[in-house]
Amino acid sequence: MITVEGLTKRYARNVAVNNISFEVGKGEIVGFLGKNGAGKTTTMRVLTCFLPPTEGKASVAGFDVLDQPMDVKRNIGYLPETPPVYPEMEISDYLSFVARLKGISGADIKKRVDEVCERTALGDVRNKIIGKLSKGYRQRVGIAQAIIHNPPVLILDEPTSGLDPEQQLHVRNLIASLSGDHTIILSTHILSEVEQSCSKVIIINEGRIVAVDSVDALHKRGRATEIVAIEVSGADGFTVKQKLEEVAGVARVVSRDSKSGNVAFEVEGLEGSFIRPDLARTIVHAGWHLTELRTVGESLEEIFLDLTRAEKTDAKTDSKKEAEGSAQ
Amino acid sequence: MRNVLTICSKEIKSYFVSPIAYLLLGLFGLISGYFFYSATAFFVMSGLRQQMQGSQQPMSINEYVIAPLLGNSSVVGLFLIPLISMRLFAEEMKSGTIELLLTSPVRDWEIVLGKWAGAMAMYLCVLGVSALNIATLFIWGSPDWRPVLTGLLGLALQGGCLLAIGTFISTTTRNQIIAGGATFAVSLLLWVLSWVTSYNEASWAQVIAYLAIPTHYEPFAKGVLDTKDLVYYLSVIFFGLFMTKRSLESLRWRS
């Protein structure tokens, strides 16, 4: 549905997006993850034909953004970072205006406005002036205008930023309800959002893509061995530790602080071993109470920070090498 | 064309849901009402005096009331037009709604034309106030209607030029006050260019005077419809809108 190949966008002084390539298939929800200024908005603006690319190609629904911008625009619904609403207009007037702009025929406009108002739960306030709405409602109006022409591709730039937790949840549910019919790219720097809504993640840092993967695959990334957190009550730490170290496949046992007064450990298995059942059996056989046993996955936050940091160090060494090279 | 109408009607609504339209109509109504009253009162007084002196020469209401009234309207328009045009694009760029327009399946020229036409409609409403004043003269008198029509047409074209320039200037900044101020400065300059010929007869001075906007209004005020002036006004409008379209395109490359 969306293909980006070697896309570069340069502004007068800096490079916002540097030679990125990715693909998004039909019906996928893709999270575009990156810090502020990483190049998310620029990429989205290129995809929506708001900005022309400096180099490279991008196409949406089979149409090239440079050669067939009108076709691309017809197939895209776009919510910019700040919802593009006219504060002096009423919601229904505004949505009719957008519907007309998107080329919906006069007879269908009312029907479509009713539909999106219902879908975004704007029915009760549709005759209110947009300027008087709360931020959450304004964001919903923004989403309503993006889906009014029922486009196959939705591009949402930070759809939940600045909303309170309840509003965030509402918007997230709304996005989830849109999946299936639509291919969605949404940018965010809230990682839990990606975990909840997206099937695939693109992590971008300083204009480069550092990872394209599914959320599950990202969690497993960089972790060949299993780490299990264990909490045991009714025993002293030293004995338990000794017992656990004897279990087959255990590489290391590290004591952990426990708040409840129990003894707690992090047990790392050898590569390829599956140690959880054996650990549980050992503890139960010894007559202790097993209060907790779970696999510790690396959080998306850690992965994200690792990836973006690694990129930075790489870039630094690269530039160092370059500097050395030019000195020679 | 549908898109032009969509944008145009949205613009007109925007003027009328905000205080701008009422402010402009009110201010212009007040000022042109005052001019109208003064000119008519002066006309009546002079008429009575002439009758008392036994003069046989009839006084022309076109010459004494309508022409000065239209002339004054054109000067007042000079001040009001920047207020109409300044928000057209500056506001959209500031609030980010320009992203909606530029990512909708609408061509740039449709946006430009729609915006300008909306502003033009607002300006014509303002002119309508002036026309209402003059219309009352037809109830109690019988002025020549031809110079009235050409005069109003001249005012509309003149306004169209300044609005096209104002629309262009509005695409160059996010700040409405800068857009309005710059439009006023450029309009004023185009106004006073005609003064050149009062102290210089050289051919370059003639060229500069030709560029001045009021130079081309005078024939209209007298009831003369000259193609030369029509061409001038239409080409300034075209040029202004063309520059606006170019500026809108460059916005994509600049931002």
Side-chain angles (χ1 to χ4, degrees):
Chain A
M1 226 36 190
I2 299 173
T3 318
V4 173
E5 264 179 61
L7 179 76
T8 299
K9 175 70 193 171
R10 253 178 241 119
Y11 293 121
R13 279 177 208 87
N14 56 330
V15 183
V17 172
N18 194 353
N19 194 16
I20 65 171
S21 305
F22 63 87
E23 258 179 54
V24 180
K26 195 164 187 288
E28 278 188 307
I29 303 190
V30 173
F32 216 42
L33 205 60
K35 299 177 198 167
N36 290 332
K40 293 171 292 186
T41 300
T42 303
T43 310
M44 292 184 146
R45 284 182 165 173
V46 171
L47 287 175
T48 53
C49 305
F50 183 69
L51 291 178
T54 315
E55 274 165 38
K57 274 190 163 187
S59 69
V60 176
F63 301 106
D64 190 88
V65 292
L66 270 184
D67 301 334
Q68 297 145 301
M70 293 302 260
D71 294 306
V72 171
K73 289 174 187 177
R74 259 187 278 274
N75 282 293
I76 269 186
Y78 175 41
L79 171 69
E81 219 170 324
T82 38
V85 292
Y86 297 98
E88 73 273 7
M89 288 174 105
E90 283 177 14
I91 294 180
S92 49
D93 279 351
Y94 169 73
L95 291 175
S96 316
F97 167 67
V98 178
R100 220 173 272 275
L101 271 189
K102 304 285 180 186
I104 296 174
S105 67
D108 292 341
I109 287 176
K110 203 185 162 298
K111 204 181 90 202
R112 282 303 300 164
V113 171
D114 288 347
E115 268 173 38
V116 292
C117 277
E118 195 186 325
R119 192 129 203 206
T120 52
L122 284 169
D124 306 338
V125 291
R126 54 183 295 171
N127 293 322
K128 278 199 176 170
I129 289 169
I130 297 176
K132 300 208 165 141
L133 296 176
S134 70
K135 205 166 176 186
Y137 271 111
R138 224 177 277 197
Q139 198 75 15
R140 272 191 246 170
V141 177
I143 294 178
Q145 65 81 26
I147 59 175
I148 192 136
H149 53 308
N150 206 11
V153 177
L154 277 178
I155 295 188
L156 311 171
D157 198 353
E158 301 197 0
T160 57
S161 79
L163 301 182
D164 70 35
E166 201 186 328
Q167 292 167 334
Q168 283 186 8
L169 187 70
H170 191 100
V171 170
R172 243 174 253 152
N173 289 340
L174 183 61
I175 293 170
S177 78
L178 291 171
S179 66
D181 315 342
H182 306 266
T183 303
I184 305 177
I185 294 193
L186 64 93
S187 81
T188 178
H189 45 243
I190 305 169
L191 298 133
S192 58
E193 194 168 298
V194 171
E195 282 186 296
Q196 287 170 26
S197 322
C198 304
S199 51
K200 191 163 141 185
V201 188
I202 297 173
I203 299 182
I204 182 168
N205 188 42
E206 292 176 358
R208 288 165 192 274
I209 287 183
V210 290
V212 183
D213 229 329
S214 70
V215 176
D216 291 343
L218 269 182
H219 275 301
K220 286 180 191 140
R221 211 181 164 104
R223 217 11 102 78
T225 59
E226 191 183 23
I227 293 183
V228 184
I230 293 182
E231 215 175 276
V232 179
S233 71
D236 74 293
F238 185 72
T239 340
V240 180
K241 193 176 171 188
Q242 251 181 351
K243 261 276 196 288
L244 290 179
E245 276 168 344
E246 286 164 13
V247 175
V250 168
R252 211 152 50 102
V253 180
V254 184
S255 296
R256 241 179 3 131
D257 290 334
S258 171
K259 283 168 200 135
S260 49
N262 302 334
V263 289
F265 306 94
E266 250 174 33
V267 182
E268 191 180 341
L270 290 169
E271 211 173 309
S273 61
F274 185 60
I275 52 175
R276 264 178 298 168
D278 289 338
L279 289 175
R281 208 170 297 124
T282 313
I283 290 164
V284 174
H285 277 181
W288 303 320
H289 301 292
L290 179 62
T291 52
E292 191 187 358
L293 178 93
R294 65 185 163 86
T295 309
V296 186
E298 202 172 1
S299 75
L300 207 52
E301 263 89 353
E302 286 170 87
I303 298 163
F304 174 69
L305 288 174
D306 273 358
L307 282 169
T308 50
R309 215 179 287 134
E311 180 73 3
K312 218 175 214 168
T313 8
D314 281 357
K316 262 186 199 156
T317 28
D318 279 356
S319 57
K320 221 179 199 173
K321 270 180 201 161
E322 266 174 37
E324 279 166 7
S326 60
Q328 284 164 3
Chain B
M1 206 54 206
R2 179 179 184 253
N3 292 331
V4 175
L5 284 179
T6 304
I7 293 173
C8 172
S9 66
K10 189 241 139 208
E11 285 306 314
I12 298 172
K13 265 186 218 152
S14 290
Y15 283 116
F16 280 91
V17 293
S18 73
I20 304 177
Y22 306 102
L23 183 83
L24 290 174
L25 289 171
L27 282 180
F28 190 77
L30 195 69
I31 295 170
S32 70
Y34 170 73
F35 283 143
F36 178 68
Y37 177 76
S38 318
T40 322
F42 179 75
F43 177 77
V44 171
M45 196 197 70
S46 320
L48 282 175
R49 191 176 294 161
Q50 279 210 357
Q51 268 184 351
M52 283 196 291
Q53 287 167 355
S55 166
Q56 295 299 312
Q57 194 108 46
M59 280 175 67
S60 152
I61 195 165
N62 282 84
E63 193 183 320
Y64 278 83
V65 178
I66 297 174
L69 198 63
L70 290 176
N72 286 334
S73 299
S74 87
V75 177
V76 178
L78 178 68
F79 292 91
L80 294 186
I81 281 169
L83 295 178
I84 299 179
S85 69
M86 63 184 195
R87 50 168 287 280
L88 286 175
F89 282 97
E91 195 181 35
E92 302 252 4
M93 291 200 282
K94 183 148 196 171
S95 68
T97 44
I98 192 79
E99 284 197 62
L100 170 66
L101 290 181
L102 294 184
T103 58
S104 292
V106 183
R107 280 167 229 286
D108 286 356
W109 68 262
E110 292 175 321
I111 300 174
V112 172
L113 205 59
K115 289 254 171 199
W116 175 80
M120 197 62 197
M122 179 69 234
Y123 174 67
L124 290 179
C125 287
V126 171
L127 270 191
V129 176
S130 200
L132 274 183
N133 284 329
I134 296 171
T136 58
L137 293 177
F138 283 87
I139 301 175
W140 290 289
S142 49
D144 185 359
W145 56 270
R146 278 160 298 195
V148 177
L149 279 192
T150 53
L152 285 173
L153 177 68
L155 281 184
L157 286 169
Q158 203 173 52
C161 292
L162 297 182
L163 282 174
I165 293 166
T167 313
F168 163 62
I169 291 175
S170 185
T171 56
T172 58
T173 173
R174 292 159 171 261
N175 189 320
Q176 291 193 42
I177 296 176
I178 292 178
T183 306
F184 178 66
V186 172
S187 308
L188 194 62
L189 197 67
L190 283 172
W191 212 263
V192 297
L193 278 182
S194 58
W195 295 357
V196 172
T197 43
S198 61
Y199 55 82
N200 199 322
E201 290 293 316
S203 50
W204 63 264
Q206 301 286 339
V207 172
I208 288 183
Y210 178 82
L211 292 177
I213 284 179
T215 316
H216 299 273
Y217 176 66
E218 281 154 24
F220 282 97
K222 290 178 189 140
V224 179
L225 208 60
D226 193 336
T227 352
K228 185 182 78 179
D229 303 312
L230 271 178
V231 167
Y232 168 83
Y233 281 139
L234 293 178
S235 42
V236 171
I237 292 172
F238 178 80
F239 179 71
L241 296 182
F242 174 75
M243 291 294 286
T244 313
K245 180 180 174 282
R246 276 302 153 115
S247 174
L248 205 59
E249 275 167 21
S250 81
L251 193 72
R252 296 172 189 272
W253 299 93
R254 269 187 289 146
S255 58

